């Protein structure tokens, strides 16, 4: 690190002569005067000096084990078995770029086929592609797909108001070019999707989207009925589901979904500053739906010698078919995240997945019970992972005081849902310890008492 590294420096003069310049300055002679400045950089350091300095800086970070975090709202601390990371780091899988090429190795194709097969079973829909960018873009692709299925005659797509603000932003950005009308359906007094409002808004809609547990963590009680309302109005029914809940709840396909989406990275991937991720995308076994699916589908067949082989069965990207016929330009999706999810799912099996869901439900119920002692949970019902809690004092004060006590509090909702007041989302997963929740509630009690004095 003591000196910069520029390859082929020894050939600099030779290369300049070849292109007709006598100096490096000549090479940049077309840059306007006044735009070229010397950087005021400090002297270089040795690699060991940089190593120790970086460790000192990184040592300021706190992991979720050192500082309990209740910050969910879409990103959660799940336990990832050690062997998942070991397997995906094998050279057969590890890649710096998405392996979408038809000449991809048989091993990766089989791993993606296994991912599709397990997700199909989990979501109750037989056709699954080999992943999208993330849950948000999967919803947006589903919205665009429902419009294509109506041949562009319907461009209205309904989403719940109780949806992640980030997902809403992705949907609106992603569909702006196609001129979709994104309409939010409010929640009722129980925090559930308002069915009467849905009936008013659903006319002329291409699709209706609902999540099995909404952004507030509240498990939607009327998924099947919402699907019936959508279908009666001629709209496609799109259901979003967290895969970690599907060991204990009915699958979207069983509840009438035409399209199901979700987040695969909740299985097999750490939080890692929010990414990378992989979106689940599944549809009914209907030719019209399959032909309009974005992404790529891996299939199993036999080679010329009659042996089992895996192939890229369907890919509707504009690079490979006529641009006007492309359904999506999705390309650099995180296939490695999908492989990690498949490994984790195979490890858990049906029994392990059910146990995972039961533990999360149990921990969420305990979190809700204890938080009810220091704040108000605005909606009664069954919660999965996230629990909203309303306080009498400004939440930013509470959050700062929690940080001072070594606890990362919840996600403030007031910015996006002002009607909920000083409400924050607190999250639990299978990794949440009882003593963490007790410590949080004790700290909240102290902070609220101090504020009231």
């Amino acid at each position: 690190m003591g000196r910069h590294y520029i390859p082929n420096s020894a050939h600099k003069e030779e290369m300049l002569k070849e292109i007709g310049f006598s100096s490096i300055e000549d090479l940049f002679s077309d840059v306007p005067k006044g735009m070229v400045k010397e950087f005021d950089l400090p002297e270089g350091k040795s690699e060991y000096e940089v190593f120790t300095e970086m460790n000192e800086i990184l040592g300021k970070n706190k992991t979720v084990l050192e500082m309990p975090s209740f910050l969910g709202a879409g990103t959660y601390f799940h336990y990832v078995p050690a062997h998942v990371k070991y397997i995906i780091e094998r050279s057969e899988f590890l890649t710096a770029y998405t392996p979408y090429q038809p000449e991809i190795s048989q091993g990766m194709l089989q791993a993606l086929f296994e991912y599709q097969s397990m997700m199909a079973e989990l979501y109750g829909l037989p056709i699954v592609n080999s992943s999208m960018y993330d849950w948000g873009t999967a919803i947006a692709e589903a919205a665009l797909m429902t419009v294509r299925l109506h041949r562009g005659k319907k461009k209205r797509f309904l989403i719940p108001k109780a949806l992640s603000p980030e997902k809403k932003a992705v949907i609106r950005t992603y569909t702006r070019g196609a001129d979709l009308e994104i309409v939010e359906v409010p929640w009722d007094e129980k925090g559930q999707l308002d069915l009467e409002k849905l009936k008013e808004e659903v006319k002329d809609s291409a699709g209706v989207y609902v999540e099995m547990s909404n952004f507030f963590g509240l498990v939607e009680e009327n998924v099947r009925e919402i699907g019936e309302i959508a279908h009666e109005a001629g709209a496609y029914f799109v259901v979003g589901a967290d895969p970690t809940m599907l060991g204990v709840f009915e699958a979207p396909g069983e509840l009438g979904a035409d399209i199901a989406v979700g987040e695969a990275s909740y299985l097999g991937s750490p939080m890692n500053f929010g990414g990378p991720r992989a979106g689940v995308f599944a549809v009914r076994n209907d030719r019209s739906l399959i032909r309009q699916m974005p992404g790529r589908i891996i299939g199993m067949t036999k080679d010329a010698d009659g042996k089992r082989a895996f192939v890229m069965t369907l890919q509707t990207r504009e690079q490979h078919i006529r641009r006007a016929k492309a359904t999506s330009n999705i390309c650099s999706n995180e296939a490695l995240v999908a492989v990690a999810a498949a490994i984790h799912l195979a490890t858990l099996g049906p029994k392990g997945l059910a146990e995972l869901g039961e533990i999360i439900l149990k921990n969420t119920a305990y979190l809700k019970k204890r938080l009810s002692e220091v704040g108000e949970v605005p909606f009664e019902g069954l919660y999965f992972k996230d629990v909203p809690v309303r306080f009498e004092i400004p939440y930013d004060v509470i959050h700062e005081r929690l940080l001072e006590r070594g606890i990362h509090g919840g996600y403030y909702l007031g910015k996006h849902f002002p009607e909920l007041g000083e409400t924050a989302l607190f999250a639990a997963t299978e990794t949440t310890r009882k003593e963490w929740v007790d410590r949080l509630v004790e700290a909240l009690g102290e902070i609220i008492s101090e504020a009231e004095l």
Side-chain angles (χ1 to χ4, degrees):
M1 300 294 283
R3 52 177 298 198
H4 58 255
Y5 171 71
I6 299 178
N8 300 316
S9 294
H11 306 289
K12 185 173 73 175
E13 299 302 327
E14 184 183 347
M15 290 189 288
L16 285 170
K17 184 180 177 182
E18 180 65 25
I19 58 177
F21 291 119
S22 58
S23 68
I24 289 292
E25 287 70 27
D26 288 345
L27 191 58
F28 299 105
S29 59
D30 56 342
V31 177
K33 293 190 181 304
M35 298 298 290
V36 180
K37 296 180 180 177
E38 289 287 332
F39 288 109
D40 184 20
L41 296 176
E43 288 295 315
K45 296 182 179 180
S46 71
E47 183 172 328
Y48 181 66
E49 286 173 321
V50 174
F51 172 77
T52 53
E53 191 172 321
M54 289 298 293
N55 267 285
E56 189 177 333
I57 295 170
L58 293 173
K60 296 176 183 175
N61 288 334
K62 300 289 183 187
T63 70
V64 287
L65 293 175
E66 297 166 318
M67 182 179 184
S69 174
F70 296 90
L71 191 64
T75 299
Y76 306 96
F77 173 33
H78 289 293
Y79 181 71
V80 179
H83 68 274
V84 175
K85 186 178 180 184
Y86 172 78
I87 294 174
I88 62 170
E89 285 184 348
R90 288 180 61 94
S91 59
E92 297 94 326
F93 295 126
L94 198 59
T95 171
Y97 191 59
T98 182
Y100 64 81
Q101 299 87 350
E103 64 273 22
I104 186 175
S105 76
Q106 282 295 297
M108 179 58 101
L109 283 172
Q110 180 174 354
L112 294 174
F113 181 82
E114 300 291 354
Y115 161 83
Q116 294 174 179
S117 303
M118 285 185 272
M119 286 298 178
E121 190 173 346
L122 200 57
Y123 280 79
L125 291 168
I127 312 298
V128 177
N129 71 15
S130 53
S131 81
M132 311 297 292
Y133 295 125
D134 55 25
W135 192 340
T137 51
I139 302 170
E141 289 283 2
L144 292 169
M145 182 173 155
T146 61
V147 172
R148 288 195 301 272
L149 286 163
H150 283 98
R151 299 182 182 278
K153 295 176 181 175
K154 293 183 177 180
K155 290 198 169 188
R156 188 177 171 86
F157 189 77
L158 306 188
I159 61 172
K161 186 177 180 182
L163 184 66
S164 158
E166 292 172 354
K167 286 178 185 167
K168 287 181 186 176
V170 170
I171 294 166
R172 293 187 193 285
T173 304
Y174 213 95
T175 61
R176 186 173 299 156
D179 200 24
L180 264 64
E181 181 189 5
I182 305 298
V183 179
E184 295 186 17
V185 180
W187 63 79
D188 62 16
E189 68 280 0
K190 294 173 63 181
Q192 304 282 328
L193 193 77
D194 190 322
L195 299 186
E196 294 307 312
K197 293 291 182 185
L198 174 65
K199 290 174 185 173
E200 292 174 13
E201 298 286 0
V202 73
K203 185 182 177 186
D204 295 328
S205 295
V208 174
Y209 177 69
V210 68
E211 288 187 356
M212 288 177 57
S213 59
N214 64 25
F215 184 56
F216 306 144
L218 199 56
V219 176
E220 189 67 52
E221 298 172 355
N222 307 306
V223 176
R224 196 184 302 276
E225 192 173 349
I226 293 167
E228 290 170 356
I229 293 170
H231 287 152
E232 284 173 12
Y236 287 92
F237 186 37
V238 185
V239 177
D242 178 338
T244 62
M245 73 187 305
L246 294 178
V248 287
F249 290 92
E250 278 189 284
E254 295 164 2
L255 294 167
D258 301 300
I259 304 169
V261 295
E263 180 56 60
S265 70
Y266 292 168
L267 295 161
S269 293
M271 292 189 286
N272 197 29
F273 300 99
R277 296 192 164 198
V280 179
F281 200 100
V283 302
R284 287 190 284 109
N285 187 14
D286 181 311
R287 185 181 174 86
S288 62
L289 269 68
I290 297 169
R291 292 298 304 178
Q292 290 298 330
M293 275 184 86
R296 61 199 70 87
I297 299 174
I298 308 302
M300 185 170 69
T301 184
K302 291 181 179 177
D303 64 12
D305 298 323
K307 296 178 181 177
R308 186 181 71 167
F310 297 91
V311 294
M312 191 83 74
T313 302
L314 182 69
Q315 181 167 236
T316 53
R317 185 185 177 195
E318 82 284 0
Q319 277 188 348
H320 303 91
I321 62 174
R322 281 183 295 163
R323 189 178 183 86
K325 294 287 185 181
T327 60
S328 169
N329 72 340
I330 181 169
C331 48
S332 300
N333 80 319
E334 295 83 8
L336 197 64
V337 180
V339 174
I343 296 167
H344 196 172
L345 265 177
T347 306
L348 287 169
K351 185 170 179 287
L353 193 68
E355 289 175 355
L356 174 65
E358 288 166 2
I359 294 170
I360 295 174
L361 273 174
K362 181 182 171 185
N363 287 351
T364 309
Y366 184 71
L367 178 68
K368 180 194 170 196
K369 175 176 174 290
R370 292 302 321 272
L371 286 172
S372 301
E373 298 170 16
V374 291
E376 179 196 0
V377 177
F379 309 112
E380 274 306 316
L382 182 62
Y383 285 88
F384 190 79
K385 290 187 180 176
D386 293 294
V387 179
V389 184
R390 183 155 48 210
F391 299 98
E392 295 295 327
I393 58 177
Y395 183 71
D396 59 342
V397 174
I398 293 175
H399 200 82
E400 285 300 317
R401 299 288 187 274
L402 285 174
L403 290 173
E404 290 169 6
R405 287 167 167 79
I407 300 170
H408 207 299
Y411 177 87
Y412 180 53
L413 292 176
K415 179 181 177 184
H416 302 288
F417 304 97
E419 59 269 57
L420 292 178
E422 294 302 310
T423 301
L425 272 183
F426 291 79
T429 67
E430 78 281 9
T431 62
T432 305
R433 298 176 186 170
K434 179 177 178 294
E435 55 266 32
W436 292 353
V437 176
D438 295 341
R439 188 175 146 196
L440 168 70
V441 173
E442 182 182 350
L444 285 170
E446 292 172 1
I447 294 165
I448 293 168
S449 297
E450 290 168 5
E452 291 174 346
L453 290 177

